[in-house]
Amino acid sequence: MKINAGIAGATGYSGEVLVEMLLKHPDVRIAGLYASIDKPKISDIFPKFKKRIDLECKKISASDMADKCDLVFLALPHTVSMEIAPKILSCGKKVIDLSADYRLKNTSVYEKFYKVKHKDKSGLKEAVYGLPELYRQKIKKASLIANPGCYPTAAILGLAPALAVNLINSSSIIIDAKSGVTGAGRKLAEASLFSEINEDFKAYKVNNHQHQPEINQELSKISGDKIEVTFVPHLLPLSRGILETIYINKAQNSKLKVHGLIDLYSKFYKSEPFVRIKEEGIFPRLKDVAGTNFCDIGVKDCGDKIIIIVAIDNLLKGASGQAIQNMNIMYGLPEHTALI
Amino acid sequence: MKINAGIAGATGYSGEVLVEMLLKHPDVRIAGLYASIDKPKISDIFPKFKKRIDLECKKISASDMADKCDLVFLALPHTVSMEIAPKILSCGKKVIDLSADYRLKNTSVYEKFYKVKHKDKSGLKEAVYGLPELYRQKIKKASLIANPGCYPTAAILGLAPALAVNLINSSSIIIDAKSGVTGAGRKLAEASLFSEINEDFKAYKVNNHQHQPEINQELSKISGDKIEVTFVPHLLPLSRGILETIYINKAQNSKLKVHGLIDLYSKFYKSEPFVRIKEEGIFPRLKDVAGTNFCDIGVKDCGDKIIIIVAIDNLLKGASGQAIQNMNIMYGLPEHTALI
Amino acid sequence: MKINAGIAGATGYSGEVLVEMLLKHPDVRIAGLYASIDKPKISDIFPKFKKRIDLECKKISASDMADKCDLVFLALPHTVSMEIAPKILSCGKKVIDLSADYRLKNTSVYEKFYKVKHKDKSGLKEAVYGLPELYRQKIKKASLIANPGCYPTAAILGLAPALAVNLINSSSIIIDAKSGVTGAGRKLAEASLFSEINEDFKAYKVNNHQHQPEINQELSKISGDKIEVTFVPHLLPLSRGILETIYINKAQNSKLKVHGLIDLYSKFYKSEPFVRIKEEGIFPRLKDVAGTNFCDIGVKDCGDKIIIIVAIDNLLKGASGQAIQNMNIMYGLPEHTALI
Amino acid sequence: MKINAGIAGATGYSGEVLVEMLLKHPDVRIAGLYASIDKPKISDIFPKFKKRIDLECKKISASDMADKCDLVFLALPHTVSMEIAPKILSCGKKVIDLSADYRLKNTSVYEKFYKVKHKDKSGLKEAVYGLPELYRQKIKKASLIANPGCYPTAAILGLAPALAVNLINSSSIIIDAKSGVTGAGRKLAEASLFSEINEDFKAYKVNNHQHQPEINQELSKISGDKIEVTFVPHLLPLSRGILETIYINKAQNSKLKVHGLIDLYSKFYKSEPFVRIKEEGIFPRLKDVAGTNFCDIGVKDCGDKIIIIVAIDNLLKGASGQAIQNMNIMYGLPEHTALI
């Protein structure tokens, strides 16, 4: 018996990747595609799908989703998901939400960044933060997954091992992040034109990005302390990938040396299928993770400071790949199915 | 006494390049910038101009232009120019129009491609086609210049020497053209997003581009025969440059050999400051012309066929650079002023 | 029982893609990796393979290959394959050769372009040209496959339907080809530096490329006439993909119209899993085929002329993907296994 | 009377830009081009110079340079300059050295990074660090200029105003730097191939780059304290530009607020022709400085921390442009000649 999966927001970049990956999934049947534009065939929107899938996108309808699907991936704009998700859940179906709607536990922070009141506080309470490396057991039993943001995925995976053992001064975290352009989605904006981005590089939302509170919330949970990171995202002239260079001060009494650091990280992620720790002196690059669900991490001990470099594909481990990893966990399937 | 030059459409890519080049021109004062959006400082639109020019853009107004300027560059959308130009000309000022409005002598062809009736047939009659290599003497005395399109500039310069001596079968011309993205201007369109163009390449308006009748008109003028080329433009994932690969059959009685061909081209353009003919076996590349007003041409004799490869910067020799070259000619200045 | 497959030349781009694809193939075990550099782990050369395959590359040795493998993919430089292949074949094993060594039936043409005498004329006679759309039945029974070149694959698939029905004037074929940079392989050359290629575009080997005789040979076979195409390859500033724009004159008595043309192509490739014909007015783009084994074809009837546009991924349908498609056919597996 | 300028290393990227800029300089005659390869015409190496300069490159010869030139730009590999410079200087001519040979006052640091003994300690003592914004008066009288490195230029200009008033905790400086590919020069290396860099992004020489001691030396000079920065350079998939994101902790007793910060920077660089400070909330981007000699700086006050973002063109303000700015100062010419 295959899982009947629905994809809402099938015409965006995350939706495109979900279709792409689920077509290869032996245990999934794509039961419905949903989009704000009515009626187009997915293979007209993305001609790469010709001869592979011939489904029409339907209007977004919670009841149709609940009717046709066992599980729905919501790859919708922020603030739309929280109107749809409760209705699907109330019919006993499952939801993996790729928007920010169920990530921030503090609704006033949500409202500050998304300029709208939160409409589903009970869903918010129930939602499990879908980062398998930290919350696999909860994900197994969850009905509603808040799939992590792309920047937070890299930041949390990069910092968790050090934070978990109180190795670092938690007030000193600086995250210099660089993302490919698909991170911004497919919406029209002058800043997203080829001629504006090609041969350019710049910071944006300097220390004021909507993913920053998500990072703070999750790191604080791990650390026990209230953490507020410094976070500067930049836009790379390439399509896919996020690389974060993280700078932290060691905690005062820390005695860790470089091998210790690599050992620490390697042990922490020993059984993880999608996290790879680099050998000493080697650091991640986007090329090695683009098109994959892997998260590559390199660490360097610099005396008082530690430098951590993390790379993921923003549309896979940073979005749709992780969503499928979560689905695999929820249904007891081998975690790497359709992902390797 | 400096030339008081106005630029209408200063916030587009052609306008940007005009500002850039005219700032370096020792005989020009930028007397006015005009745009459809009111009031912005040009240095807020293009921060690269900070500490260089601090002018506010004004609303497009023919009377203000006629009042403040000796010469106005119209870098406006097609169909707008023909409403402005006559008013400026009627005040005894000069116009160099970078749109298509004064290029096509046959108004029914114009109307077919631009979906609007032509409104200034007398201007159309008076306008000189601003390709200095062919029409320098007329340009000297002109008040209204129809600055050539980017694709036509490359096509005509590439074909003129061969056509002029009846070397080729004029019904056999195939132009396979490839353009950088700035050719499409700065307007918002999904097809112009970075994520759509990066790592992509495609043909568009296959044998149906609005520059095709302009090419036909000008080649026919040179040849004496009615010429209809086959023309397929493609979109390159880079910012600036056009390269055209042109295939023609030799005329039946032609006896020219490769050296003859290169000689023919070299002689034809001997005194031209901005046309360079490649040695045998060497062909143009965009890198050599990007950021310059040069047109590089390479030719190869292949028995029955001739292959001609032409490269220009679409925003310079293909638009704003050529416009300034025309201005230099109109005012009796050294033709390369501000262009080398 | 899995197929034990070997990959010689595992450290080049074609080798990398073979490893990538075969890792996903349910019926294949990678039995050996071979390279000119001894001993490196494939996951040190390509860190993207960490946690996926941990094999060391061995020195190229025909006897080791024959010993360990049922089938060997030779992704070696031209002229090396013909020394290795006969030894493997003589042990009763199979070879799919991705080099040019077994493609050109006329050894004097081979010697002209590759500057070396051909050393395996009996292999050359036996080798089957591995284009499944034309030679599926022969491939089924073959032991030695000459896997087609990237440019020829696109050219032949684009022209076969029209040639097969004598629709076109076979002396008029012009192929304007554009390839991504991986087509040139991984060897060091100033012309391959990022700073030389980025923001550049140029033609190379104008009407003198080593794939041209391969195209001529195969088209002549289809047509019955001796065909000599005009062929100009260009280098695109992107990693993967080939797009060819093909111009042909109709045969004099041809009466075909546009729908006829699309119909003709659609019927010709009706049962093909990897060829897709575009609807009227729609043309292929690289984005739709990059990362896939598909070949997309668009056609336009322009009166006397026909324009055909073909797109493939040069490393997949143009090399490694087609090689695996051939393997699937040779072993009676579903043809799309590991390819969709 | 024009300055007779020589360019040694004319065939590299810095040399190319020097030729480009000096061709536009009204007070300079290019008196000689020198390169390690004998005899090539510069316009054969860089066909973009055809019809502009037709000089042959000569073998590198200090005596020929001293003979023909008033001033020589040495754009040579590190360790070569210090053999040539003393000979030119001893003939009473001037040298602007773009290599690292005269930048590091501590020869043991030089030897650690460049693996060779320093051979010209007296030159080293005499050399003036050519950063006009800090050392204009010394540059005026200098005969030997150590032209700053690209990364150091951005770092020093970004930090000088804050350091000069003891605003910051000098042990806390973190510089996350991103550079375009021309920064690595034109030498052959697999890591510099298009296919390796395109769509990739990575850190390199993590906290161990040869420019780091130069940054430390110059910042320490400004601050009075011994400064050791944390420095991680990254490689951007684009041709030109450096952007550095700098993180610093405020000094404990600092009371500065955001307006104070922008004011401080604006005043510090008030009379500088090539430094521009961004308004509040606006940050530099590469597009605004690429192809120019400008250095754009944006600052943000984040409570305990300050974020400074600096952008330059690595080949202009980071190398050849700055060299010409230095020449202009040395000869009493308007500082922006040929640079705007």
Side-chain angles (χ1 to χ4, degrees):
Chain A
M1 272 284 288
K2 297 206 173 189
I3 305 163
N4 289 299
I7 301 169
T11 60
Y13 290 131
S14 296
E16 177 188 5
V17 174
L18 282 167
V19 173
E20 178 82 44
M21 308 300 284
L22 292 178
L23 281 175
K24 298 177 184 168
H25 200 301
D27 306 305
V28 168
R29 191 181 73 90
I30 298 181
L33 299 175
Y34 302 88
S36 51
I37 359 157
D38 196 24
K39 289 285 192 187
K41 275 194 190 173
I42 192 70
S43 60
D44 286 334
I45 304 284
F46 301 112
K48 60 189 272 199
F49 290 137
K50 296 259 173 196
K51 286 208 175 181
R52 299 184 61 196
I53 180 170
D54 203 30
L55 227 48
E56 258 180 30
C57 294
K58 291 186 274 191
K59 273 216 172 126
I60 287 168
S61 148
S63 62
D64 191 83
M65 293 174 197
D67 200 37
K68 305 279 195 316
C69 310
D70 304 313
L71 166 75
V72 183
F73 294 93
L74 298 180
L76 296 168
H78 306 307
T79 78
V80 181
S81 285
M82 61 187 169
E83 304 198 352
I84 306 289
K87 299 174 191 165
I88 303 173
L89 291 166
S90 72
C91 302
K93 306 306 179 74
K94 293 176 198 289
V95 168
I96 296 177
D97 178 33
L98 284 84
S99 85
D101 282 4
Y102 294 98
R103 295 181 198 151
L104 293 172
K105 295 299 185 185
N106 183 333
T107 54
S108 68
V109 173
Y110 179 88
E111 285 156 21
K112 180 181 159 206
F113 278 93
Y114 296 97
K115 314 291 178 207
V116 67
K117 279 226 162 297
H118 203 285
K119 295 172 184 161
D120 182 21
K121 296 200 183 175
S122 98
L124 191 56
K125 211 165 164 190
E126 182 199 337
V128 170
Y129 193 71
L131 194 64
E133 290 76 8
L134 297 182
Y135 305 112
R136 188 171 281 110
Q137 296 315 314
K138 288 186 177 174
I139 293 166
K140 273 184 191 169
K141 292 171 281 181
S143 292
L144 172 56
I145 297 288
N147 209 59
C150 51
Y151 286 128
T153 294
I156 300 164
L157 292 177
L159 284 159
L163 272 178
V165 297
N166 296 311
L167 181 66
I168 58 181
N169 175 341
S170 64
S171 75
S172 72
I173 302 172
I174 291 168
I175 302 171
D176 192 281
K178 301 90 175 173
S179 174
V181 177
T182 51
R186 221 182 164 197
K187 59 183 168 297
L188 279 185
E190 193 178 288
S192 300
L193 293 178
F194 181 86
S195 302
E196 296 296 315
I197 287 171
N198 184 42
E199 295 293 291
D200 193 23
F201 181 71
K202 63 177 174 191
Y204 68 103
K205 298 188 182 176
V206 174
N207 211 32
N208 193 34
H209 189 279
Q210 68 274 15
H211 281 177
Q212 203 161 343
E214 183 182 340
I215 296 172
N216 288 336
Q217 165 186 295
E218 294 300 315
L219 295 184
S220 299
K221 222 161 46 174
I222 299 169
S223 148
D225 294 337
K226 185 169 180 340
I227 290 186
E228 297 202 9
V229 304
T230 301
F231 179 71
V232 181
H234 303 72
L235 192 60
L236 287 166
L238 56 81
S239 292
R240 287 172 72 161
I242 280 179
L243 190 136
E244 298 185 1
T245 309
I246 303 175
Y247 303 88
I248 42 184
N249 292 332
K250 284 189 197 163
Q252 292 223 321
N253 50 356
S254 167
K255 280 171 196 148
L256 214 75
K257 288 283 169 242
V258 56
H259 277 298
L261 201 54
I262 292 177
D263 274 3
L264 173 73
Y265 272 70
S266 299
K267 277 178 195 151
F268 193 92
Y269 290 121
K270 194 177 42 181
S271 317
E272 287 302 329
F274 291 116
V275 181
R276 301 182 292 203
I277 308 303
K278 293 283 175 186
E279 300 91 1
E280 190 180 342
I282 313 265
F283 296 92
R285 55 191 289 198
L286 289 190
K287 235 181 184 41
D288 291 337
V289 297
T292 84
N293 198 49
F294 282 103
C295 172
D296 282 2
I297 303 176
V299 289
K300 178 161 186 169
D301 189 311
C302 305
D304 295 342
K305 284 198 168 55
I306 293 172
I307 297 170
I308 302 166
I309 301 182
V310 189
I312 60 170
D313 182 316
N314 57 307
L315 290 180
L316 285 166
K317 186 62 180 168
S320 306
Q322 184 141 272
I324 291 171
Q325 190 180 356
N326 282 319
M327 180 195 70
N328 288 339
I329 294 170
M330 292 161 83
Y331 284 87
L333 301 168
E335 200 163 323
H336 62 266
T337 313
L339 291 172
I340 271 191
Chain B
M1 271 283 288
K2 297 206 173 188
I3 305 163
N4 289 299
I7 301 168
T11 59
Y13 290 131
S14 296
E16 177 187 5
V17 174
L18 282 168
V19 173
E20 178 82 44
M21 307 301 283
L22 291 178
L23 280 175
K24 296 178 185 169
H25 200 301
D27 304 306
V28 168
R29 193 181 72 89
I30 297 181
L33 300 175
Y34 302 88
S36 51
I37 0 155
D38 196 25
K39 288 286 193 188
K41 275 193 189 174
I42 191 70
S43 60
D44 285 334
I45 304 284
F46 300 112
K48 61 188 270 200
F49 290 137
K50 296 260 171 194
K51 287 208 173 179
R52 298 185 61 197
I53 179 171
D54 203 32
L55 228 48
E56 258 178 30
C57 294
K58 290 186 276 190
K59 273 218 171 122
I60 288 169
S61 149
S63 62
D64 191 83
M65 293 175 197
D67 199 39
K68 305 279 195 316
C69 310
D70 304 313
L71 167 75
V72 183
F73 294 93
L74 298 180
L76 296 168
H78 307 306
T79 78
V80 181
S81 285
M82 62 186 168
E83 303 198 353
I84 306 288
K87 299 174 190 163
I88 303 173
L89 291 165
S90 72
C91 302
K93 306 305 179 74
K94 292 175 198 292
V95 168
I96 296 176
D97 179 32
L98 285 81
S99 87
D101 282 4
Y102 293 99
R103 294 180 199 152
L104 292 172
K105 295 299 184 187
N106 184 334
T107 54
S108 67
V109 174
Y110 179 88
E111 285 156 22
K112 180 182 160 205
F113 277 94
Y114 296 98
K115 315 291 176 205
V116 66
K117 279 225 162 294
H118 202 285
K119 294 174 184 161
D120 182 22
K121 297 199 182 175
S122 99
L124 191 57
K125 210 165 164 190
E126 181 200 339
V128 171
Y129 193 71
L131 194 64
E133 290 75 8
L134 297 182
Y135 304 112
R136 188 172 281 108
Q137 297 314 316
K138 288 187 177 174
I139 294 166
K140 272 186 190 166
K141 292 173 279 182
S143 291
L144 172 57
I145 298 288
N147 209 59
C150 50
Y151 285 126
T153 293
I156 300 164
L157 292 176
L159 284 159
L163 272 178
V165 298
N166 296 312
L167 181 64
I168 58 182
N169 175 341
S170 64
S171 76
S172 72
I173 302 173
I174 291 168
I175 302 171
D176 190 283
K178 302 89 175 174
S179 173
V181 178
T182 52
R186 221 185 166 195
K187 59 184 168 297
L188 279 185
E190 193 178 287
S192 300
L193 293 179
F194 181 86
S195 303
E196 295 297 315
I197 287 171
N198 184 42
E199 296 293 291
D200 193 22
F201 180 72
K202 64 176 174 192
Y204 68 103
K205 298 187 182 176
V206 173
N207 211 32
N208 193 32
H209 189 278
Q210 68 274 15
H211 281 178
Q212 203 161 343
E214 182 182 340
I215 295 171
N216 288 337
Q217 166 185 294
E218 293 300 317
L219 295 184
S220 300
K221 221 161 49 174
I222 299 169
S223 149
D225 293 338
K226 186 167 179 342
I227 290 186
E228 296 203 9
V229 303
T230 301
F231 179 70
V232 181
H234 303 73
L235 192 61
L236 288 166
L238 55 82
S239 292
R240 287 171 72 161
I242 280 178
L243 190 136
E244 298 184 1
T245 309
I246 303 174
Y247 303 87
I248 42 185
N249 293 332
K250 284 192 198 160
Q252 292 224 322
N253 51 356
S254 167
K255 282 170 196 150
L256 216 74
K257 289 282 168 241
V258 56
H259 277 299
L261 202 53
I262 292 178
D263 274 2
L264 173 72
Y265 273 71
S266 299
K267 276 178 195 150
F268 193 92
Y269 290 122
K270 193 177 45 181
S271 316
E272 287 303 327
F274 292 116
V275 181
R276 301 183 293 202
I277 307 304
K278 294 283 175 187
E279 298 90 0
E280 190 180 341
I282 313 264
F283 296 92
R285 56 192 287 198
L286 289 189
K287 234 182 184 41
D288 292 337
V289 297
T292 85
N293 198 50
F294 282 104
C295 172
D296 282 2
I297 303 176
V299 290
K300 178 161 187 169
D301 190 311
C302 306
D304 295 342
K305 284 198 167 57
I306 294 172
I307 297 170
I308 303 166
I309 302 182
V310 189
I312 60 170
D313 183 317
N314 56 308
L315 290 180
L316 286 165
K317 186 62 179 168
S320 306
Q322 184 141 275
I324 291 172
Q325 190 180 355
N326 281 320
M327 180 194 72
N328 288 340
I329 294 170
M330 292 161 84
Y331 284 89
L333 301 168
E335 200 163 323
H336 62 266
T337 313
L339 290 172
I340 272 192
Chain C
M1 271 283 289
K2 297 206 173 189
I3 305 162
N4 289 299
I7 302 168
T11 60
Y13 290 130
S14 296
E16 176 188 4
V17 173
L18 281 167
V19 173
E20 178 81 45
M21 308 300 283
L22 291 178
L23 281 175
K24 297 177 184 168
H25 200 300
D27 305 305
V28 168
R29 193 181 72 90
I30 297 181
L33 300 175
Y34 302 88
S36 52
I37 0 154
D38 196 23
K39 288 285 193 187
K41 276 194 190 172
I42 192 69
S43 60
D44 286 334
I45 304 285
F46 301 112
K48 62 189 270 200
F49 290 137
K50 295 261 173 193
K51 286 209 174 178
R52 298 185 61 197
I53 180 172
D54 202 32
L55 226 49
E56 259 178 30
C57 294
K58 291 187 274 190
K59 271 216 171 123
I60 288 168
S61 148
S63 62
D64 191 82
M65 292 175 198
D67 200 37
K68 305 277 196 314
C69 309
D70 304 314
L71 167 75
V72 183
F73 294 94
L74 297 181
L76 296 168
H78 307 305
T79 77
V80 181
S81 285
M82 62 186 169
E83 304 198 352
I84 306 289
K87 299 175 190 164
I88 303 172
L89 291 166
S90 72
C91 301
K93 306 305 178 73
K94 294 177 197 292
V95 168
I96 296 177
D97 178 33
L98 285 82
S99 87
D101 281 5
Y102 293 99
R103 295 181 198 152
L104 293 171
K105 296 299 184 187
N106 183 334
T107 54
S108 68
V109 174
Y110 178 89
E111 284 156 22
K112 181 182 160 205
F113 278 93
Y114 297 98
K115 314 291 176 204
V116 67
K117 280 226 162 297
H118 202 285
K119 293 173 184 162
D120 182 21
K121 297 196 183 177
S122 98
L124 191 56
K125 212 166 163 188
E126 182 199 338
V128 171
Y129 193 70
L131 194 63
E133 290 77 8
L134 297 181
Y135 304 113
R136 189 171 281 110
Q137 297 313 317
K138 288 187 176 173
I139 293 166
K140 274 185 189 166
K141 293 172 277 181
S143 292
L144 172 57
I145 298 288
N147 209 60
C150 49
Y151 287 126
T153 294
I156 300 163
L157 292 177
L159 284 159
L163 272 178
V165 297
N166 296 312
L167 181 65
I168 58 182
N169 175 341
S170 65
S171 76
S172 72
I173 302 173
I174 291 168
I175 302 171
D176 191 282
K178 302 88 174 173
S179 174
V181 178
T182 51
R186 219 183 167 196
K187 57 184 170 299
L188 278 185
E190 193 178 287
S192 301
L193 293 179
F194 181 86
S195 303
E196 296 296 315
I197 287 170
N198 184 43
E199 295 294 291
D200 194 22
F201 181 71
K202 64 177 175 193
Y204 68 103
K205 298 187 182 174
V206 174
N207 210 30
N208 193 32
H209 189 280
Q210 68 274 13
H211 282 175
Q212 202 161 344
E214 183 182 340
I215 295 171
N216 288 337
Q217 165 185 295
E218 294 300 317
L219 295 184
S220 300
K221 224 164 39 178
I222 299 169
S223 148
D225 293 337
K226 186 169 178 341
I227 290 187
E228 298 203 8
V229 303
T230 300
F231 179 71
V232 181
H234 303 72
L235 192 59
L236 288 167
L238 56 81
S239 292
R240 288 171 72 162
I242 281 178
L243 190 136
E244 299 185 359
T245 309
I246 303 175
Y247 303 87
I248 42 184
N249 293 332
K250 284 191 198 160
Q252 292 222 324
N253 49 357
S254 168
K255 282 172 194 149
L256 216 73
K257 290 280 170 245
V258 56
H259 276 299
L261 202 53
I262 292 178
D263 275 1
L264 173 73
Y265 273 70
S266 299
K267 277 177 196 151
F268 193 92
Y269 291 122
K270 193 177 42 179
S271 317
E272 287 304 328
F274 292 116
V275 181
R276 300 182 293 202
I277 308 303
K278 294 283 177 187
E279 298 91 359
E280 190 181 341
I282 313 265
F283 296 91
R285 54 192 289 198
L286 289 189
K287 233 182 187 42
D288 291 337
V289 297
T292 84
N293 198 51
F294 282 103
C295 172
D296 282 2
I297 303 177
V299 290
K300 178 161 187 169
D301 189 311
C302 306
D304 295 341
K305 284 199 169 56
I306 293 171
I307 297 170
I308 302 166
I309 301 182
V310 188
I312 60 169
D313 182 317
N314 57 307
L315 290 180
L316 286 165
K317 187 62 180 168
S320 306
Q322 184 140 273
I324 290 171
Q325 189 180 357
N326 281 319
M327 180 194 71
N328 288 340
I329 295 170
M330 292 161 83
Y331 284 88
L333 301 168
E335 201 164 322
H336 61 267
T337 314
L339 291 173
I340 272 192
Chain D
M1 272 284 288
K2 297 206 173 188
I3 305 163
N4 288 299
I7 301 168
T11 59
Y13 291 131
S14 297
E16 178 189 4
V17 174
L18 282 167
V19 173
E20 178 82 46
M21 307 300 285
L22 291 177
L23 280 175
K24 297 177 185 168
H25 200 300
D27 306 305
V28 168
R29 193 180 73 88
I30 296 180
L33 299 175
Y34 302 88
S36 51
I37 357 154
D38 197 24
K39 288 285 193 187
K41 275 195 190 174
I42 192 70
S43 59
D44 286 334
I45 303 284
F46 300 112
K48 61 189 270 200
F49 290 137
K50 296 261 171 193
K51 286 211 174 177
R52 298 184 61 196
I53 181 171
D54 202 32
L55 227 48
E56 259 179 29
C57 294
K58 291 186 275 190
K59 272 217 171 125
I60 287 168
S61 149
S63 62
D64 191 82
M65 293 175 196
D67 200 38
K68 303 281 195 316
C69 309
D70 304 313
L71 166 75
V72 183
F73 294 93
L74 298 180
L76 296 168
H78 307 306
T79 77
V80 181
S81 285
M82 63 186 169
E83 303 197 353
I84 306 289
K87 298 174 191 164
I88 303 173
L89 291 166
S90 72
C91 302
K93 305 306 178 72
K94 293 176 198 291
V95 169
I96 296 177
D97 179 33
L98 284 83
S99 87
D101 282 5
Y102 293 99
R103 296 181 197 152
L104 293 171
K105 295 301 185 187
N106 184 333
T107 54
S108 67
V109 173
Y110 178 89
E111 286 156 21
K112 180 182 160 207
F113 277 93
Y114 296 97
K115 314 293 176 203
V116 66
K117 279 226 161 298
H118 202 285
K119 292 173 184 161
D120 182 21
K121 298 199 182 176
S122 98
L124 191 56
K125 211 166 163 187
E126 183 200 336
V128 171
Y129 192 72
L131 194 63
E133 290 77 8
L134 297 182
Y135 305 113
R136 189 172 280 108
Q137 297 313 316
K138 287 186 178 174
I139 293 166
K140 273 186 188 166
K141 292 171 279 181
S143 292
L144 172 56
I145 297 288
N147 209 59
C150 50
Y151 286 127
T153 294
I156 300 164
L157 291 176
L159 284 160
L163 272 178
V165 297
N166 295 312
L167 181 66
I168 58 182
N169 175 341
S170 64
S171 75
S172 72
I173 302 171
I174 292 168
I175 302 171
D176 191 281
K178 302 89 174 173
S179 174
V181 177
T182 52
R186 220 182 166 197
K187 58 182 167 301
L188 279 185
E190 194 179 285
S192 302
L193 293 178
F194 180 86
S195 302
E196 295 296 315
I197 287 171
N198 184 42
E199 295 293 292
D200 194 23
F201 180 71
K202 64 177 174 190
Y204 68 103
K205 297 187 183 176
V206 174
N207 210 32
N208 193 33
H209 189 279
Q210 67 274 14
H211 281 177
Q212 201 162 343
E214 183 182 339
I215 295 171
N216 288 336
Q217 167 185 294
E218 293 301 315
L219 295 184
S220 300
K221 222 160 53 174
I222 299 169
S223 147
D225 294 337
K226 186 170 179 336
I227 290 186
E228 297 203 8
V229 303
T230 300
F231 179 70
V232 181
H234 303 72
L235 192 60
L236 288 166
L238 54 82
S239 291
R240 287 172 72 162
I242 281 178
L243 190 136
E244 299 184 0
T245 308
I246 304 175
Y247 303 87
I248 43 184
N249 293 332
K250 283 191 198 162
Q252 292 224 321
N253 49 357
S254 168
K255 283 173 195 144
L256 215 74
K257 290 280 169 242
V258 56
H259 277 299
L261 202 54
I262 292 178
D263 275 3
L264 173 73
Y265 272 71
S266 298
K267 277 178 194 149
F268 193 92
Y269 289 121
K270 193 177 43 179
S271 317
E272 286 304 327
F274 291 115
V275 181
R276 299 184 293 202
I277 308 303
K278 293 282 176 187
E279 297 92 0
E280 191 180 342
I282 313 266
F283 296 92
R285 56 192 287 197
L286 289 190
K287 232 179 187 42
D288 291 337
V289 297
T292 84
N293 198 50
F294 283 102
C295 173
D296 283 1
I297 303 176
V299 290
K300 178 160 186 169
D301 190 312
C302 306
D304 295 341
K305 284 198 168 54
I306 293 172
I307 297 170
I308 303 167
I309 302 181
V310 189
I312 60 170
D313 183 316
N314 57 307
L315 289 180
L316 286 166
K317 186 63 180 170
S320 305
Q322 184 140 275
I324 290 171
Q325 189 181 356
N326 281 320
M327 180 195 72
N328 287 340
I329 294 170
M330 291 161 84
Y331 284 88
L333 301 168
E335 201 163 322
H336 62 265
T337 314
L339 291 172
I340 272 193

